């Protein structure tokens, strides 16, 4: 029996993780945490019986406490509550499925408590990878990637030696606006950007896929997870998301992981690693598939990718600025306050005026984020 604590249980990754738990009797839930969705978390508590739960939002947590007063579950709130769920004693695996940098401290708390981490929350590695990776080594804690591309790379590397890798080929779908110019994306609205061609995901990552920020974050995520140089990570566009990523070895061999676009595969792979579990669902049909199209990313129409390489290579607090500016801008775009192209323009402007701090501590990272948000809100409302 494996016991799971899910951080971000009400989201796209969180609910798909619970679907897997629902159909596998050898998985059990001991803690569930989310932002503010009282009704869904209540329903999840009634179905999965965790002994600890948390809503970040204090008022929502108070409401939840009343609603589940008939159950033996401890309801917590705030950052302390998230960290308690992350370090909850019975948990064998912590699923990091919160969206955004708010996940950093819970992820670090899980590592410090010696939990195996199944990590979807890429913003944590992008901004604090230089702290999280050494911390995981120090505590001898495995970080199992849930992001589909990184899971693909991780699967391909099984039985191979990392020091024989010459390149990582990270695949991108190109999102809903692939093939458009920057002039053509200028008037795109949230409803257009929220239509991802292949994947059904949370709103923030869906917008990130439309801008290509998601791929930029994934380049930085790959650097930390696999310890490769930025020059050895290449993004290739594969519109149907059939190839989930590839690795080229020193002898020229290229190994890939393919499959239908279903996040339950990478989630289950992380939960059962190193085993594989049967997973129902559609299979690839090579007879009817036709061509697998491959192209290069369009860095002029989608400047988020070159900006991410610049942020990653600069290092220090620059990836935090890239990520925090994006988190602010995506929320503003979804609220109808800024245009689609403004997202990447804001990231570029914030990076241009940022004075980098090398090897930032956790406090420095969180302070850089706070300052950046405050200045964007002051300048742009
Ligand atoms: P989502 O928006 O559907 O869910 C986010 C979850 O985080 C929700 O449970 C929400 O309540 C919780 N949350 C938000 N703010 C919080 C806070 N302050 N405190 C506690 N919980 C909070 O997002 P998602 O699509 O499930 O993505 C989650 C993470 O996984 C992101 O980092 C995303 O980039 C990554 N990811 C997602 C997918 C996917 O298919 N959805 C694929 C790869 C990676
Ligand atoms: Mg991905």
């Amino acid at each position: 029996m494996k016991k799971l604590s899910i951080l971000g249980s009400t989201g796209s990754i969180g609910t798909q993780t619970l679907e897997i738990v629902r159909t596998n009797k050898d998985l059990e839930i001991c803690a569930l945490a989310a932002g503010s969705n009282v009704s869904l978390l209540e329903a999840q508590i009634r179905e999965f019986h965790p002994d600890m739960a948390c809503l970040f939002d204090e008022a929502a947590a108070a409401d939840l406490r009343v609603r589940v007063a008939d159950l033996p579950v401890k309801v917590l709130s705030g950052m302390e509550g998230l960290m308690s769920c992350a370090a909850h004693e019975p948990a064998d695996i912590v699923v990091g499925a919160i969206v955004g940098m708010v996940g950093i401290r819970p992820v670090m708390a899980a590592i410090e408590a010696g939990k195996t981490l199944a990590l979807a929350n890429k913003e944590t590695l992008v901004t604090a990878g230089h702290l999280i990776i050494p911390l995981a080594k120090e505590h001898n804690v495995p970080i199992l990637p849930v992001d589909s591309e990184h899971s693909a790379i991780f699967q391909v590397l099984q039985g191979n030696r990392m020091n024989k890798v010459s390149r990582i080929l990270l695949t991108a779908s190109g999102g809903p606006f692939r093939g458009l110019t920057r002039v053509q994306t200028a008037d795109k609205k949230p409803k257009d950007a929220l239509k991802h061609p292949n994947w059904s995901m949370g709103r923030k990552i869906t917008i990130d896929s439309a801008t290509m920020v998601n791929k930029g974050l994934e380049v930085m995520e790959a650097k930390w997870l696999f310890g490769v140089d930025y020059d050895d990570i290449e993004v290739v566009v594969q519109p149907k998301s059939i190839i989930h990523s590839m690795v080229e070895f020193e002898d020229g061999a290229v190994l890939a992981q393919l499959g239908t676009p279903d996040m339950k595969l990478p989630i289950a792979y992380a939960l059962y690693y190193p085993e594989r579990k049967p997973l129902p669902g559609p299979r690839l049909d090579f007879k009817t598939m036709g061509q697998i199209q491959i192209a290069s990313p369009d860095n002029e129409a989608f400047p988020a990718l070159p900006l991410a390489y610049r942020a990653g290579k600069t290092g220090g607090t620059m990836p935090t600025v890239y990520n925090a500016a994006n988190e602010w801008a995506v929320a503003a775009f979804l609220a109808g306050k800024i245009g689609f192209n403004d997202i990447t323009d804001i990231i570029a402007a914030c990076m241009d005026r940022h004075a980098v701090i090398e090897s930032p501590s956790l406090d420095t990272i969180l302070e850089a984020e706070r300052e950046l948000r405050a200045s964007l809100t002051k300048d742009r409302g």
Side-chain angles (χ1 to χ4, degrees), residues 225-292:
L225 282 172
F226 305 112
V228 282
D229 291 339
Y230 283 107
D231 290 333
D232 297 332
I233 306 172
E234 187 179 324
V235 173
V236 291
V237 175
Q238 203 278 289
K240 292 265 184 266
S241 306
I242 289 168
I243 304 176
H244 295 313
S245 277
M246 304 179 269
V247 176
E248 183 190 277
F249 292 87
E250 278 183 346
D251 58 359
V254 177
L255 302 191
Q257 187 256 329
L258 284 67
T260 53
D262 180 356
M263 284 308 295
K264 287 205 280 303
L265 168 58
I267 297 169
Y269 190 77
L271 297 183
Y272 284 104
Y273 177 80
E275 304 299 328
R276 281 185 188 273
K277 278 290 243 188
L279 191 69
R283 298 296 188 246
L284 288 181
D285 182 354
F286 288 90
K287 293 191 289 301
T288 57
M289 189 190 298
Q291 284 189 343
I292 296 182

Side-chain angles (χ1 to χ4, degrees), residues 120-170:
N121 184 192
K122 64 189 84 183
E123 296 88 350
T124 59
L125 279 181
V126 167
T127 55
H130 63 292
L131 304 174
I132 291 172
I133 297 297
L135 191 68
K137 289 216 170 78
E138 180 191 329
H139 290 271
N140 202 14
V141 164
I143 300 183
L144 305 169
V146 169
D147 209 344
S148 60
E149 295 77 1
H150 305 75
S151 173
I153 295 161
F154 185 65
Q155 291 177 53
V156 157
L157 288 174
Q158 300 304 310
N160 286 294
R161 286 182 199 280
M162 195 60 221
N163 63 5
K164 301 291 173 193
V165 167
S166 58
R167 271 195 306 168
I168 283 184
L169 299 158
L170 197 68

